[in-house]
Amino acid sequence: MIRTLLGRAGLVAAAAGLATVIGAAPAAAHGADAPDGTDYRTRTTGVTPARPGLEVRVIEAGARLELTNHTGRTIEVIGYSGEPYLRVGPDGVFENSHSPATYLNSTITGDTTLPADADPAAPPSWQRVDDGTTVRWHDQRALWQESEPPAAVRAAPDREHRVRDWTIPLRDGAEPARISGTLDWVPPPDAYTWWAVTIVGALAVGALGLLAAAAPAGARALAALGVLLMIGGALAVGYPVGRELDAGARGVGGVLVGLLSGQIWSLLTGLGAIAAGWYALRRRPAADFAVALAGACVALFAGVGNAAVFARSVAPVPWSPGIARVLVAVVLVTGAGAATAGILRLHAASRTPTHT
């Protein structure tokens, strides 16, 4: 029986891995420009002159800017050659199909091939892209696009550096305005320390699997694994929710759409870990198998999948980078630890003689 469960666990894990590879293309296409972390911190310092009702903020760890226009007037964002690029007003959001920025800003790298009619000198050709009053876009003026860091950073990578002050021109009717901001290099954390602490923590949780399952201590260990797995599962769900909020999702519906379209595996494995933890607390049959499988999945999809924050100073969540790293570490500790403990308990059970 135990060997059959272990075999099934291997098949499920293989199927999950295959599904991840198959699903990677559409998921990446949906959120390929939302980085898992970066060492360049983009901030806005405001709109000048001030425009009450006009809000601008940085989203996706600096990958995009978000402009919301509640002024009741039409605001234009100006492109790289001084041409109208975006138009946001009461009648919706429009892109100028003749602006090169429309195509260059479609990816964070700005390497899109321009079509023949991308002519900044041509009269604007406005195409509606949304009915609302909010627009989000990449802007090369607020990003560092070179493959190498600036010279000052290379000379002293352990210090914070101001890379540039940036501005993006706007037009409010006939009146000019601008978005101002800063781009800074922030030294990354020591990833080795975070990984070392995470591994030690996972081993400590995994050691619970060494307690004899039939003994009272083993029963308490299973209950502890259940609680830890539920905590890890809740954080595995909470982290991608934070990413969607940071990406500009509005309301429960917006967050759900983002999760289902771009972060489905973190969501499903997190919910699965919560269910497996409850299953273990109830001491259901095959609880060890459920703990092992759910722990492995949550560690892989929700933990390792977000572990880039261990080596990046700016995280794509609305919390501090330190909190983001702690959350990912807890997900990894509980997931990998529960998987290890569950496997040890299954192995011990497979070696226990049965009596008829």
Side-chain angles (χ1 to χ4, degrees):
M1 177 64 178
I2 298 297
R3 289 188 176 89
T4 300
L5 288 175
L6 288 173
R8 290 178 180 175
L11 290 175
V12 171
L18 179 60
T20 301
V21 172
I22 295 173
H30 173 77
D33 290 327
D36 294 326
T38 179
D39 296 324
Y40 294 93
R41 183 181 62 211
T42 302
R43 287 176 171 171
T44 59
T45 55
V47 176
T48 307
R51 291 291 192 275
L54 187 63
E55 302 170 3
V56 181
R57 71 184 185 110
V58 176
I59 63 174
E60 294 181 359
R64 296 180 197 262
L65 298 176
E66 178 188 84
L67 183 148
T68 301
N69 181 13
H70 293 310
T71 65
R73 305 183 303 275
T74 297
I75 302 293
E76 291 183 357
V77 180
I78 306 304
Y80 302 122
S81 299
E83 80 285 2
Y85 159 44
L86 295 170
R87 192 179 81 192
V88 188
D91 55 346
V93 178
F94 296 78
E95 286 181 337
N96 175 13
S97 62
H98 288 161
S99 170
T102 294
Y103 309 98
L104 296 174
N105 292 351
S106 63
T107 65
I108 193 172
T109 56
D111 56 0
T112 305
T113 301
L114 296 178
D117 60 347
D119 180 5
S125 175
W126 296 110
Q127 308 294 322
R128 183 191 294 271
V129 294
D130 193 88
D131 294 332
T133 56
T134 297
V135 63
R136 305 177 184 100
W137 77 100
H138 301 296
D139 201 298
Q140 315 304 322
R141 291 163 287 201
L143 297 169
W144 180 256
Q145 298 292 67
E146 303 298 328
S147 58
E148 293 292 330
V153 173
R154 296 196 299 270
D158 56 340
R159 292 170 44 199
E160 188 170 315
H161 297 271
R162 174 61 49 84
V163 176
R164 73 166 74 100
D165 296 313
W166 53 266
T167 60
I168 297 171
L170 303 175
R171 187 176 296 128
D172 181 357
E175 298 181 13
R178 67 179 183 275
I179 306 169
S180 300
T182 58
L183 179 65
D184 296 291
W185 160 271
V186 182
D190 182 2
Y192 295 106
T193 299
W194 283 96
W195 276 111
V197 171
T198 298
I199 291 171
V200 170
L203 291 175
V205 173
L208 294 173
L210 297 173
L211 300 174
R220 291 193 294 270
L222 181 60
L225 288 170
V227 172
L228 290 173
L229 200 52
M230 292 179 74
I231 293 173
L235 296 180
V237 173
Y239 193 87
V241 168
R243 291 196 64 162
E244 291 304 319
L245 292 173
D246 183 70
R250 301 292 176 88
V252 175
V255 170
L256 284 176
V257 169
L259 290 174
L260 294 175
S261 61
Q263 304 196 62
I264 185 65
W265 287 110
S266 289
L267 176 64
L268 291 180
T269 55
L271 294 175
I274 294 173
W278 176 86
Y279 198 75
L281 283 173
R282 302 281 293 181
R283 300 183 186 178
R284 298 290 187 181
D288 294 336
F289 169 75
V291 166
L293 182 59
C297 289
V298 79
L300 177 62
F301 296 119
V304 174
N306 292 305
V309 294
F310 286 171
R312 293 290 179 260
S313 55
V314 179
V317 291
W319 320 298
S320 72
I323 292 177
R325 287 188 279 272
V326 169
L327 294 183
V328 174
V330 172
V331 170
L332 281 167
V333 166
T334 55
T340 302
I343 291 171
L344 289 173
R345 290 170 65 93
L346 287 170
H347 180 68
S350 69
R351 295 174 64 87
T352 301
T354 58
H355 302 281
T356 59

